[in-house]
Amino acid sequence: MSEQHAITMTAPPEVYRQRRAKLAAALERPVVIFAGHAPARNYPANTHHFRAGSSYRYFGGPPLENAALLIEPGSDGDAGCTLLRRPPGADDALWFGEVPTDNDIAAAAGLRREGLADTDKLEALLAGRAAATVAPPFPDTLAWIAKLGLPPANDDELRAIINLRLTKDEHELAAMRRSSGICIEAHRAAMAATKPGKREADVAAAFMAVLHRHECQVAFNPIITVHGEVLHGQGHPNIMPDGALLLCDAGVEEPGGYACDFTRTFPVSGKWTPIQRHLYEITLRAANEATAACVPAARYRDVHDLSARVICEGLVEAELLRGDPAELVARTAHALFYPHGVGHLVGLDAHDMEDFGDLAGYAPGRARRPEFGNKYLRLDRDLEPGMCVTIEPGIYLVPAIWASDELVKPLADVVNRPKVDALLKDSFGGIRIEHTICVRPAETGGPEILSETLPTDPDEVAACVGTG
Ligand code: GLY
Ligand code: MN
Ligand code: MN
């Protein structure tokens, strides 16, 4: 097979067989896990990038559009598993060159050659039996499922998938280390490309060039902005003024689909103002303490609350809040400056398994707290070795928050409003520092920080800026 059509897989075939066998042992009816397709632009053959669904990839599906894995209850991971794929069309070689053979596909997936079938055989294979479905939300795939009349997987079936995907094995971790290494290179290129008077788009271009060189994709649309107070800001339209902070939240997905998610914030000029540096150091303390707290059996919600307390301690020191930090957290005063959760699962997606909603992020019996800020926490599980999560506290001056009587009035007694207003007037923006980490027992060194060699020390960060 030519390089051009090599099948990228993350794990050896027997690992996929084992994963399927484990899922099959938890099933009471067949499950069909769909790859999805590349959405078309203006005509079917002119498509956006194809990215196969994460559960399909996890259970050994090679990256083939409109393919699906059928897993029967009690299967050993090979017999009782079928990979449905569109057989090559007569014109494929003309338009696309050499395509993978069935032998290549079966070998990559860890299936016998007889385990492959044409997609239009799915109905006959099910023979009228009920089967659960798991699919990425693409219109053609959903239309196919609707035509087959198959229901979505129920919570028990999804939990069986989630329980397998929650902790990463050595193959998954190796892939995440690969995406992290490229992400570090790309973030360094972004820092080097940052200079007053240049555009955010110049920085985004420097980041993307590294990804293109490594044939990687973005894990989400990069947030590269002097308006860091817009938590998920899109587009890069601004010229970067001297004196501003640039927030760069950008992750890489390697060809096997594994992601990382890193944020750095730095002064556009390479020189911190005293208040920028002070609030940055508070954020860094929160990131470091929260990261160190990610040990097996720790409750992630407690890690969030710890980060909120460190932020409140710092905001009291900085004379933006007053009072006892623990009481400030209890009143969710931190959320005026830190209105989001400390992080989320990361793996085959930047927000791993968020397609399953809080079923993945929240342990059974746990639910989101209702208060502003805390309600955006995406994860509340007890951490286990091999779980990969982000730690991403921040401090922001968000005009929309300070314009809201509903949010501000109940906390007016603990806020230094003139100082807040001065920062808003100066368009302070926002600071976030984000690591992707893998939880490990203390005996084996504590959390592995996949973003560790991307500087966070304020002097080291500043020294990286504008060197390109
Ligand atoms: N950029 C999305 C996140 O950090 O969660
Ligand atoms: Mn991020
Ligand atoms: Mn994140």
Side-chain angles (χ1 to χ4, degrees):
M1 175 171 321
S2 69
E3 281 289 307
Q4 189 190 356
H5 289 292
I7 302 172
T8 303
M9 303 297 282
T10 303
E14 65 273 16
V15 170
Y16 293 122
R17 279 198 290 275
Q18 286 159 13
R19 291 180 189 169
R20 290 190 295 265
K22 282 184 190 159
L23 177 60
L27 295 177
E28 288 176 2
R29 59 178 177 174
V31 64
V32 189
I33 307 179
F34 290 81
H37 64 279
R41 292 166 184 262
N42 60 332
Y43 66 99
N46 183 14
T47 62
H48 292 280
H49 168 74
F50 170 58
R51 200 280 193 186
S54 294
S55 289
Y56 167 87
R57 288 295 261 157
Y58 178 82
F59 289 106
L64 303 169
E65 269 195 77
N66 293 319
L69 277 169
L70 165 63
I71 302 177
E72 299 278 357
S75 160
D76 67 3
D78 185 1
C81 288
T82 309
L83 174 61
L84 298 125
R85 51 88 187 91
R86 189 181 69 89
D91 293 344
D92 281 4
L94 172 65
W95 291 99
F96 309 119
E98 193 186 348
V99 293
T101 65
D102 281 350
N103 284 339
D104 295 331
I105 293 170
L111 290 168
R112 291 162 304 157
R113 170 64 191 80
E114 307 80 69
L116 262 55
D118 295 355
T119 46
D120 58 11
K121 295 287 181 331
L122 179 55
E123 198 163 7
L125 279 166
L126 291 173
R129 289 174 304 152
T133 60
V134 177
F138 296 137
D140 289 6
T141 306
L142 298 180
W144 181 16
I145 293 169
K147 198 162 151 246
L148 292 164
L150 297 175
N154 62 32
D155 285 359
D156 288 341
E157 290 156 340
L158 291 179
R159 275 197 206 98
I161 294 174
I162 290 165
N163 288 340
L164 288 167
R165 288 184 53 191
L166 263 178
T167 56
K168 281 30 180 186
D169 66 21
E170 60 184 299
H171 309 288
E172 298 181 282
L173 269 175
M176 291 179 70
R177 290 186 192 115
R178 278 196 295 279
S179 62
S180 296
I182 295 161
C183 197
I184 289 167
E185 185 185 336
H187 269 270
R188 284 185 181 276
M191 288 175 175
T194 301
K195 282 184 189 150
K198 286 175 74 180
R199 297 172 312 141
E200 295 165 345
D202 295 321
V203 180
F207 185 89
M208 293 303 296
V210 175
L211 271 59
H212 287 309
R213 272 204 297 281
H214 290 282
E215 296 191 75
C216 285
Q217 302 289 326
V218 288
F220 51 88
N221 294 333
I223 301 160
I224 297 176
T225 179
V226 291
H227 286 291
E229 78 281 8
V230 183
L231 299 180
H232 281 179
Q234 299 293 296
H236 310 113
N238 300 301
I239 292 176
M240 300 182 291
D242 203 350
L245 291 172
L246 188 72
L247 186 150
C248 182
D249 178 352
V252 171
E253 179 180 291
E254 53 82 54
Y258 283 86
C260 62
D261 184 5
F262 303 166
T263 307
R264 292 294 181 268
T265 308
F266 39 90
V268 165
S269 63
K271 291 184 198 71
W272 300 96
T273 66
I275 186 67
Q276 284 172 348
R277 187 176 177 120
H278 192 175
L279 298 188
Y280 180 88
E281 285 173 346
I282 296 165
T283 310
L284 182 57
R285 220 182 299 150
N288 288 343
E289 291 199 24
T291 299
C294 287
V295 294
R299 181 174 179 173
Y300 192 77
R301 194 176 86 173
D302 294 338
V303 176
H304 171 82
D305 290 348
L306 168 66
S307 71
R309 190 169 48 72
V310 177
I311 295 275
C312 279
E313 282 165 5
L315 292 174
V316 170
E317 247 175 53
E319 298 180 340
L320 283 157
L321 288 177
R322 51 183 164 255
D324 172 60
E327 274 170 35
L328 292 170
V329 173
R331 291 179 65 188
T332 58
H334 60 278
L336 294 173
F337 298 89
Y338 171 29
H340 59 76
V342 73
H344 49 85
L345 293 167
V346 55
L348 263 168
D349 281 290
H351 286 201
D352 200 24
M353 298 190 282
E354 224 165 279
D355 43 337
F356 303 140
D358 286 349
L359 207 59
Y362 276 65
R366 293 183 185 168
R368 291 189 187 226
R369 290 176 290 186
E371 318 84 55
F372 177 72
N374 290 341
K375 71 180 175 183
Y376 301 119
L377 181 61
R378 299 168 193 271
L379 177 61
D380 182 15
R381 284 185 173 270
D382 294 346
L383 297 174
E384 295 171 39
M387 268 189 190
C388 291
V389 301
T390 67
I391 290 294
E392 50 179 304
I395 296 178
Y396 314 84
L397 272 291
V398 184
I401 289 179
W402 294 100
S404 164
D405 281 351
E406 190 189 333
L407 295 176
V408 176
K409 266 198 176 154
L411 293 160
D413 58 312
V414 294
V415 167
N416 181 350
R417 189 64 199 243
K419 191 157 184 180
V420 166
D421 285 341
L423 292 175
L424 287 168
K425 189 159 167 282
D426 274 0
S427 300
F428 179 85
I431 295 169
R432 178 159 66 250
I433 300 170
E434 179 173 23
H435 291 307
T436 295
I437 69 168
C438 178
V439 177
R440 285 186 312 196
E443 309 84 85
T444 52
E448 176 177 352
I449 305 171
L450 300 181
S451 40
E452 189 158 33
T453 59
L454 184 61
T456 52
D457 172 83
D459 293 322
E460 282 179 49
V461 167
C464 295
V465 176
T467 54

